[in-house]
């Protein structure tokens, strides 16, 4: 029997491939990050069984409770996609293959120190608060260019791209277009944008990673 999660994954993968083709891109040019926050580890195991190999979690503590034990039997990449407190940087560096939410100099310091201590180099994305929302993490648009350049100098090839979560009450398109243009301007190949409600729009605007949760694992 096919699980609901496996069926949802099949549908989302089809939609991603179709959106990529519609945008004149290769069907396999977009990576699906399956966002398993708040869902039990059994849901992750179902997704792994269905061939999913990239996962996203918002909170370091929740990631720690679910993912390390799975490494013995499974190959996957774990992404931290939620705003990161400086005091969680070391745990994030130890656990994650990618940290998508580098957004301020103090966090860059903490991540750099943690990489040395843990002797582990997760890849990094810079989160941009494209809507300049007070409650949201991410570097402001105004500070983005300077911060991106600083982080390129500091982290070199470990810095691979940009990420954003547009305001939920606005058309995401201008935010997606802005982020893709910024990534291109800085020669960064990875653009992480688009969620369950808008990943096809994000792909049309140049997303190379989409982060999809509820459309795979059900509502939270
Ligand atoms: C929860 C979350 C997602 C996935 O959202 P869905 O609407 O469930 O697809 C993607 N990105 C971030 C940063 C999130 O917090």
């Amino acid at each position: 029997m096919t699980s609901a999660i496996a069926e949802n994954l099949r549908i989302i993968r089809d939609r991603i491939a179709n959106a990529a083709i519609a945008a004149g891109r290769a069907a396999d040019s977009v990576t699906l990050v399956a966002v398993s926050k708040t869902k039990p580890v059994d849901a992750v195991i179902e997704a792994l069984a269905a061939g999913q190999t990239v996962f996203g979690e918002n909170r370091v503590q929740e990631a720690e409770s679910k993912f390390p034990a799975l490494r013995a039997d499974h190959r996957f990449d774990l992404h931290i996609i939620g705003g990161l407190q400086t005091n969680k940087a070391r745990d994030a560096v130890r656990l994650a293959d990618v940290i998508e939410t580098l957004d301020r100099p103090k966090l860059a310091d903490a991540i750099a120190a943690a990489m040395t201590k843990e002797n582990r180099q997760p890849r990094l994305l810079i989160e941009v608060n494209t809507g300049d929302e007070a409650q949201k993490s991410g570097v402001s648009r105004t500070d983005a260019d300077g911060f991106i350049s600083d982080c390129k100098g500091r982290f070199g090839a470990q810095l691979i791209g940009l990420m954003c979560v547009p305001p939920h009450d606005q058309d995401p398109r201008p935010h997606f277009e802005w982020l893709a243009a910024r990534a291109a301007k800085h020669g960064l190949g990875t653009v992480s944008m688009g969620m369950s409600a808008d990943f096809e729009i994000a792909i049309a605007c140049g997303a190379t990673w989409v982060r999809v949760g509820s459309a795979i694992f059900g509502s939270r």
Side-chain angles (χ1 to χ4, degrees), residues 35 37 58 81-82 163 165 194-197 211-215 220:
V35 178
K37 68 185 180 202
N58 274 54
I81 62 169
M163 174 270 211
V165 183
M195 319 200 310
S196 292
R211 309 177 309 271
V212 178
S214 49
R220 294 179 296 270

Side-chain angles (χ1 to χ4, degrees), residues 17 50 68 74 92 160 176 182 187:
H74 303 278
I160 60 170
F176 292 157
R182 262 315 178 272

Side-chain angles (χ1 to χ4, degrees), residues 21-115:
I21 290 164
R25 300 165 53 191
D28 63 355
S29 62
V30 179
T31 296
L32 171 60
V33 180
V35 178
S36 49
K37 68 185 180 202
T38 79
K39 299 297 178 184
V41 71
D42 285 350
V44 175
I45 291 168
E46 278 189 51
L48 285 163
Q52 180 62 27
T53 57
V54 185
F55 293 87
E57 284 282 342
N58 274 54
R59 294 171 180 278
V60 171
Q61 230 167 341
E62 184 176 349
E64 177 134 50
S65 74
K66 278 150 69 170
F67 283 88
L70 297 172
R71 296 232 190 241
D73 294 321
H74 303 278
R75 288 248 168 276
F76 57 83
D77 276 355
L78 174 61
H79 295 202
I80 296 294
I81 62 169
L84 192 56
Q85 290 175 282
T86 306
N87 65 6
K88 294 275 169 31
R90 187 159 177 188
D91 292 336
V93 164
R94 193 180 62 250
L95 286 168
D97 303 287
V98 178
I99 297 173
E100 297 202 19
T101 49
L102 172 55
D103 66 352
R104 60 198 189 278
K106 278 224 151 55
L107 183 59
D109 292 344
I111 287 173
M115 284 177 163

Side-chain angles (χ1 to χ4, degrees), residues 132-143:
D132 284 327
E133 295 172 280
Q135 77 286 6
K136 230 177 228 171
S137 54
V139 63
S140 69
R141 284 192 188 214
T142 317
D143 294 339

Side-chain angles (χ1 to χ4, degrees), residues 90 93-96 110-122 158:
R90 187 159 177 188
V93 164
R94 193 180 62 250
L95 286 168
I111 287 173
M115 284 177 163
T116 304
K117 288 192 186 111
E118 296 290 336
N119 193 24
R120 202 162 182 280
Q121 273 81 37
Q158 293 303 123

Side-chain angles (χ1 to χ4, degrees), residues 102-109 111 124-127 139 144-162 186 188:
L102 172 55
D103 66 352
R104 60 198 189 278
K106 278 224 151 55
L107 183 59
D109 292 344
I111 287 173
L124 303 171
L125 271 62
I126 289 174
E127 179 179 10
V139 63
D145 280 331
F147 186 60
I148 294 165
S149 297
D150 289 351
C151 288
K152 275 180 85 171
R154 178 166 204 171
F155 295 105
Q158 293 303 123
L159 179 71
I160 60 170
L162 304 181
H186 287 275
L188 297 168

